Amino acid sequence: MIKTPTAQIIPGTQCVISPQVPLNGFTTLNVGGAAQWFVAPESIQDLQAAYRWAQEYDLPITVLGAGSNLLISDQGLPGLVIATKHLRRIKWDKETGQVTAGAGRALPQLAHHAARLGWSGMEWSVGIPGTVGGAVVMNAGAHGGCAADYLVSALVLEPDGCLSVVTGSDLAYGYRSSVLQGTQRLVLQATWQMEPEQDPQRVKATTQEHLNQRLSTQPYHLPSCGSVFRNPQPHTAGWLIEKVGLKGYQIGQAQVAERHANFILNRGGAKAMDVFQLIRHVQACVSERWDVLLHPEVKILGEFA
């Protein structure tokens, strides 16, 4: 008789490591199978302990922030999935004009908080459905701004378990990319340079303007993972997809959005495989028509047979 794995508590910590936790509720697409093991540390120390636990058992590690920009296989993920949702501590330093936020802090929350204080520098991030950690790793950006423009430093957990402080120049930032992608280096918190004591009404107005623009041009009425493809040049991915007539095209319950063709929506009960096949279909159609290979911006994790 095979014993069913049970939850474990790492000695000396508050870390509860649970087996077979469904991940669809942790992603904005609402798709995906279960994590072999799952933990949501409430402190950096507990996260370090969970990291060591995974290394002790030679398990792969996946970090999960807001679950946006992410497609997880219906088969789930092997190893340990670490959710950063509790790492949301935030500190505003009026002397330096800097804000330090935990990896699990949502970018829109940070942008709205800065606007209320009258601090300028995060207006660009108000409509991005991600976290501080994800923004640092992928160089998130919008409205002419991006993480690389404002990052002072980030606290990173290295594969050997030690902590290091890195700067933007250390991360070799490019368009939606950094050297952290595809590694086992985990961002724990980040410090951003702001401009404090600005006109609060002006900052609020700019922040709201950016949010209104995203709400009016992008579909938020159904679950999605945000923009699916990186924008090639000179045309955007959405324009290329629209021009091949794929707006509204559907596989299973996954659909290319009518409002913005670079979004794929879960119309209710979609499987990760539906989304995956739709991504591949869009790539094939755009490649055939325009001789352009669209590169996914969404991170695809797990097995897709």
Side-chain angles (χ1 to χ4, degrees), residues 22-33 38 64-73 77 81 129 223-226 266 270 272 298-299 301:
L23 295 174
N24 58 325
F26 292 92
T27 71
T28 58
L29 255 173
N30 292 348
V31 301
F38 177 90
L64 189 62
S68 60
N69 204 46
L70 191 63
L71 176 61
I72 295 176
S73 164
L77 297 177
V81 173
S224 78
C225 60
N266 180 351
V298 60
K299 189 175 183 181
L301 299 178

Side-chain angles (χ1 to χ4, degrees), residues 72-93:
I72 295 176
S73 164
D74 297 314
Q75 312 306 315
L77 297 177
L80 178 64
V81 173
I82 300 176
T84 62
K85 61 180 182 177
H86 296 308
L87 302 180
R88 297 178 296 180
R89 184 180 177 185
I90 189 168
K91 177 184 177 183
W92 303 86
D93 189 330

Side-chain angles (χ1 to χ4, degrees), residues 4-74:
T4 302
T6 57
Q8 302 183 32
I9 298 179
I10 300 177
T13 75
Q14 300 297 314
C15 267
V16 179
I17 297 181
S18 303
Q20 296 302 312
V21 173
L23 295 174
N24 58 325
F26 292 92
T27 71
T28 58
L29 255 173
N30 292 348
V31 301
Q36 182 183 0
W37 296 99
F38 177 90
V39 65
E42 297 194 11
S43 69
I44 289 177
Q45 292 72 28
D46 281 358
L47 189 148
Q48 287 179 284
Y51 193 86
R52 289 192 297 268
W53 182 89
Q55 288 185 319
E56 180 182 349
Y57 291 98
D58 196 26
L59 296 173
I61 296 171
T62 303
V63 180
L64 189 62
S68 60
N69 204 46
L70 191 63
L71 176 61
I72 295 176
S73 164
D74 297 314

Side-chain angles (χ1 to χ4, degrees), residues 115-118 123 199-209:
R116 288 195 297 271
L117 293 175
E123 297 93 325
D199 178 2
Q201 295 307 315
R202 180 182 63 80
V203 179
K204 286 180 183 179
T206 302
T207 301
Q208 190 62 47
E209 180 184 347

Side-chain angles (χ1 to χ4, degrees), residues 79-299:
L80 178 64
V81 173
I82 300 176
T84 62
K85 61 180 182 177
H86 296 308
L87 302 180
R88 297 178 296 180
R89 184 180 177 185
I90 189 168
K91 177 184 177 183
W92 303 86
D93 189 330
K94 293 184 178 180
E95 293 185 5
T96 63
Q98 295 177 355
V99 57
T100 299
R105 173 66 63 172
L107 286 176
Q109 291 178 353
L110 190 61
H112 283 300
H113 196 164
R116 288 195 297 271
L117 293 175
W119 287 34
S120 178
M122 295 301 293
E123 297 93 325
W124 58 274
S125 66
V126 67
I128 298 177
T131 59
V132 166
V136 172
V137 172
M138 71 167 291
N139 191 20
H143 306 290
C146 64
D149 295 337
Y150 301 92
L151 182 70
V152 176
S153 63
L155 181 65
V156 174
L157 179 61
E158 300 290 350
D160 62 3
C162 295
L163 298 177
S164 68
V165 177
V166 299
T167 65
S169 59
D170 297 325
L171 300 182
Y173 274 131
Y175 174 66
R176 304 295 179 264
S177 67
S178 78
V179 296
L180 295 173
Q181 291 177 329
T183 74
Q184 291 289 291
R185 303 172 72 191
L186 311 185
V187 174
L188 305 181
Q189 66 182 34
T191 298
W192 313 79
Q193 185 63 55
M194 309 283 284
E195 295 182 28
E197 309 304 333
Q198 301 294 309
D199 178 2
Q201 295 307 315
R202 180 182 63 80
V203 179
K204 286 180 183 179
T206 302
T207 301
Q208 190 62 47
E209 180 184 347
H210 290 335
L211 180 58
N212 290 343
Q213 181 181 348
R214 292 181 74 91
L215 291 175
S216 65
T217 59
Q218 298 181 2
Y220 287 97
H221 62 296
L222 290 173
S224 78
C225 60
S227 296
V228 176
F229 300 102
R230 299 182 181 187
N231 286 320
Q233 295 297 328
H235 300 295
T236 66
W239 187 89
L240 295 171
I241 298 167
E242 179 179 353
K243 292 305 179 183
V244 296
L246 288 178
K247 273 191 171 182
Y249 187 86
Q250 194 165 325
I251 294 179
Q253 289 300 308
Q255 182 187 52
V256 177
E258 295 277 5
R259 178 174 290 184
H260 194 308
N262 198 18
F263 281 67
I264 290 177
L265 306 178
N266 180 351
R267 297 197 57 81
K271 300 296 185 182
M273 183 57 78
D274 297 336
V275 179
F276 181 80
Q277 290 179 334
L278 190 51
I279 288 173
R280 292 292 183 254
H281 180 74
V282 169
Q283 286 177 310
C285 291
V286 170
S287 177
E288 181 179 359
R289 169 76 180 274
W290 301 107
D291 195 26
V292 172
L293 177 61
L294 292 178
H295 295 281
E297 184 173 307
V298 60
K299 189 175 183 181

